[in-house]
Amino acid sequence: PTEQTPLARVQSIVFPRTFEDPSVFDDVNSAPSKAVEWLASSAFLSSFDDNEILRRYALATFYYSTDGDNWTTRTGWLANQSECSWFIAVPPACNGNRVFANLFLGQNNLQGSLPKDLALLSNSLETINIRGSDSPFGLSNSEGSLTGTIPTEYGLLTRLRSFNLRGNDIEGGIPEEMRS
């Protein structure tokens, strides 16, 4: 039996579970494609189990979807160390089982849209707090803001207890799938 390449291993774990249309992976500049490539290039990939690969893929997709290279603070994001040590405005990033649970970035110049595949963190994500750049009059401002809609797939985030996107340019409301 031939050993899988790192890219083939990541694809075999991510592709059957992604909420994205498969064609998104044909675009090498898409956030999901960049996340797969980043993960496949990790020096520590062989030490990650399938769940850790999915978590890191979901978080990397979030990073690329929200222009992570231009966040105000991005310390540790996409580094080889545990995602528990990646920057979070209000720590801890991980729960007592050392699984990523708190996406609390506050006002951190995130721009872009929320990726569907953040829903892959359905068994752990408890907090999403991403504030946009509020204008002085309480109106949203497209600079430093998320845009688009909240993916219906976020209804799968059954452990989610806190959800705050104040100050962003999100269209529509909270999807019905999240209201249970």
Side-chain angles (χ1 to χ4, degrees):
T2 311
E3 189 174 322
Q4 279 185 315
T5 65
L7 180 60
R9 178 168 180 234
V10 171
Q11 289 172 333
S12 72
I13 294 165
V14 169
F15 286 5
R17 294 168 182 89
T18 183
F19 296 107
E20 294 291 344
D21 183 291
S23 66
V24 76
F25 294 98
D26 295 337
D27 177 1
V28 296
N29 293 314
S30 72
S33 287
K34 288 179 178 180
V36 165
E37 287 294 328
W38 165 77
L39 193 51
S41 69
S42 171
F44 300 102
L45 180 65
S46 61
S47 68
F48 300 151
D49 65 22
D50 290 6
N51 289 328
E52 190 164 8
I53 287 173
L54 280 176
R55 273 195 310 275
R56 291 174 75 85
Y57 161 77
L59 291 167
T61 300
F62 174 81
Y63 178 89
Y64 289 119
S65 293
T66 59
D67 196 22
D69 288 343
N70 290 306
W71 292 355
T72 304
T73 305
R74 59 187 173 91
T75 306
W77 277 78
L78 303 191
N80 280 326
Q81 70 257 26
S82 165
E83 60 271 19
C84 294
S85 65
W86 295 0
F87 169 78
I88 296 297
V90 178
C94 292
N95 62 24
N97 294 325
R98 306 245 342 121
V99 176
F100 194 91
N102 298 304
L103 187 58
F104 198 117
L105 293 171
Q107 194 169 338
N108 198 30
N109 196 40
L110 278 71
Q111 298 181 53
S113 58
L114 293 168
K116 294 176 184 179
D117 279 343
L118 197 57
L120 291 170
L121 302 177
S122 63
N123 293 327
S124 66
L125 197 58
E126 298 171 10
T127 302
I128 296 176
N129 184 308
I130 304 157
R131 294 201 30 228
S133 297
D134 294 328
S135 76
F137 303 106
L139 303 171
S140 61
N141 174 347
S142 61
E143 291 232 358
S145 273
L146 296 177
T147 57
T149 60
I150 298 168
T152 58
E153 291 80 3
Y154 287 17
L156 298 170
L157 295 170
T158 56
R159 294 188 181 267
L160 194 64
R161 299 294 172 256
S162 177
F163 187 71
N164 182 355
L165 298 176
R166 190 177 84 207
N168 287 286
D169 286 334
I170 300 295
E171 298 171 15
I174 303 232
E176 189 62 39
E177 294 80 355
M178 289 182 71
R179 297 177 186 260
S180 54

